[in-house]
Amino acid sequence: MPSFKQISAFVLTATKGSLSAAAKAEQVTPAVISRRLDALEARLGVRLILRTTRRLQLTHEGQAFLDDCQRILNELSNAEESVAQGGARARGHLKISAPAGFGRRHVAPLVAEFMETNPEISIHLDLTDRLVDLVNEGVDCAVRIGELSDSSLISLRLAENRRLVVASPEYLAQHGLPQTPEDLVLHDCLLLEPQRGWTFSAASASRSRKQAAATVILKVSGRLQCNDGAVLREWALAGRGLAWRSEWEVGDDLRAGRLVSVLDDYAAPPVGIHAIFPQRRHLPLRVRLFVDFLRESCGQTGIWGDFAP
């Protein structure tokens, strides 16, 4: 089917990072891959990949289409394997990596839940904030937050995460409510070490989110700093100052009124929370099942966030 070959060429080019690598995987010439991409973009009426002589770059539409295509191809592979193996149950060992804070709060409970319905799978969960080398360290699946740079890995967008400026109601009652990011110079800001600054939308509150894509990094100051984000949350709850924290971390506090978000109109655009795994021709069933479970669980409304600012 021409459309399937076009989609396959697009996914391979996007994940492998070049026409030649995609052509090698498909055992065709780069010119064939290029023609398939051209035909796909013409059929959809949108540019998916910006191609120059030096690099390839996915457009916004291309990234969204890639996520959907990877999900569909993954589901097709699952269906084929299920039929081929007569519905065999998944078994074996999984090594999973996730950021320490997010993994402790959200991934660890999901791992335990996943094992209840997959009793023949054992799991090693590695919680670390360093950038794990999946291939060399034998990691089957990793959860990462933010922009992804390694095009040799398959990625699946699980959810979105916002960063918010929060404080306790007691702190705001005593020190006042900042109206713009520039007002932060008048406040005690709780600093995460090493400190790069807090990111805000470069547009004013009156502009739409589509117009507010550009961001600025604002240096802030305060009397307290720590290299553990969980401590900053505790300090914010105790009324020690303003903290810039992830929605997945403080969502429950915001819903319960223990913390209040400020400067919401200046919040930077959300970043993706992704499941990533090595590029393999035949991904083990246990990995596919876990990735699908993550996607379904993280996509549920209210697992984190969805509070009313």
Side-chain angles (χ1 to χ4, degrees):
M1 296 174 59
S3 60
F4 183 82
K5 290 184 177 180
Q6 293 166 8
I7 290 174
S8 178
F10 166 68
V11 172
L12 283 171
T13 302
T15 55
K16 291 186 173 297
S18 71
L19 295 175
S20 58
K24 184 177 180 180
E26 284 282 81
Q27 297 183 333
V28 297
T29 65
V32 171
I33 297 294
S34 181
R35 286 197 297 271
R36 289 176 182 176
L37 290 176
D38 290 339
L40 177 62
E41 291 177 335
R43 183 163 58 86
L44 297 177
V46 66
R47 179 63 63 88
L48 300 173
I49 300 179
L50 300 177
R51 285 170 275 169
T52 69
T53 56
R54 301 184 63 181
R55 60 175 299 190
L56 301 176
Q57 182 178 353
L58 285 174
T59 64
H60 176 76
E61 294 81 5
Q63 182 61 61
F65 189 58
L66 176 63
D67 293 340
D68 287 338
C69 288
Q70 288 178 317
R71 174 180 55 80
I72 291 169
L73 292 176
N74 187 44
E75 290 176 352
L76 177 60
S77 180
N78 284 345
E80 289 179 344
E81 180 166 313
S82 178
V83 171
Q85 296 182 358
R89 299 176 66 177
R91 57 175 56 89
H93 185 70
L94 271 177
K95 185 174 182 181
I96 302 164
S97 176
F102 182 81
R104 190 180 304 114
R105 183 178 289 261
H106 293 291
V107 179
L110 292 178
V111 164
E113 185 179 343
F114 176 76
M115 292 185 67
E116 289 181 3
T117 54
N118 295 275
E120 296 182 41
I121 295 178
S122 61
I123 294 180
H124 172 196
L125 177 60
D126 179 29
L127 300 182
T128 177
D129 290 325
R130 69 181 178 85
L131 195 62
V132 174
D133 185 331
L134 272 67
V135 176
N136 291 329
E137 297 183 45
V139 176
D140 296 293
C141 175
V143 176
R144 288 183 183 169
I145 303 175
E147 297 301 320
L148 302 178
S149 57
D150 192 341
S151 61
S152 67
L153 302 172
I154 299 293
S155 68
L156 180 68
R157 197 178 188 92
L158 302 174
E160 290 187 337
N161 178 62
R162 289 183 291 171
R163 298 273 282 183
L164 307 162
V165 180
V166 298
S168 69
E170 295 76 16
Y171 175 88
L172 295 175
Q174 183 177 355
H175 297 89
L177 198 70
Q179 300 298 320
T180 69
E182 288 72 22
D183 291 343
L184 294 176
V185 297
L186 304 174
H187 289 266
D188 269 328
C189 295
L190 305 172
L191 309 178
L192 181 66
E193 186 183 32
Q195 177 65 24
R196 288 187 60 248
W198 296 1
T199 303
F200 295 96
S201 166
S204 67
S206 63
R207 297 176 65 182
S208 69
R209 287 196 177 275
K210 190 172 290 187
Q211 294 172 306
T215 58
V216 293
I217 297 177
L218 186 66
K219 288 289 186 179
V220 297
S221 61
R223 294 179 296 165
L224 286 172
Q225 62 179 327
C226 183
N227 64 348
D228 189 327
V231 172
L232 299 187
R233 170 181 168 269
E234 294 297 328
W235 283 343
L237 288 167
R240 302 294 184 184
L242 294 163
W244 190 54
R245 307 307 306 147
S246 289
E247 187 177 7
W248 61 259
E249 181 183 13
V250 298
D252 289 342
D253 299 318
L254 292 164
R255 285 188 289 272
R258 295 185 294 267
L259 292 175
V260 177
S261 66
V262 300
L263 303 176
D264 294 314
D265 289 328
Y266 296 89
V271 298
I273 301 174
H274 298 86
I276 63 173
F277 42 97
Q279 175 80 273
R280 295 176 183 168
R281 184 170 181 83
H282 298 293
L283 198 67
L285 180 60
R286 60 185 179 273
V287 179
R288 292 203 295 270
L289 288 178
F290 181 72
V291 170
D292 287 343
F293 175 76
L294 275 182
R295 177 172 55 84
E296 180 180 354
S297 300
C298 292
Q300 294 174 4
T301 302
I303 188 172
W304 64 81
D306 290 327
F307 66 95

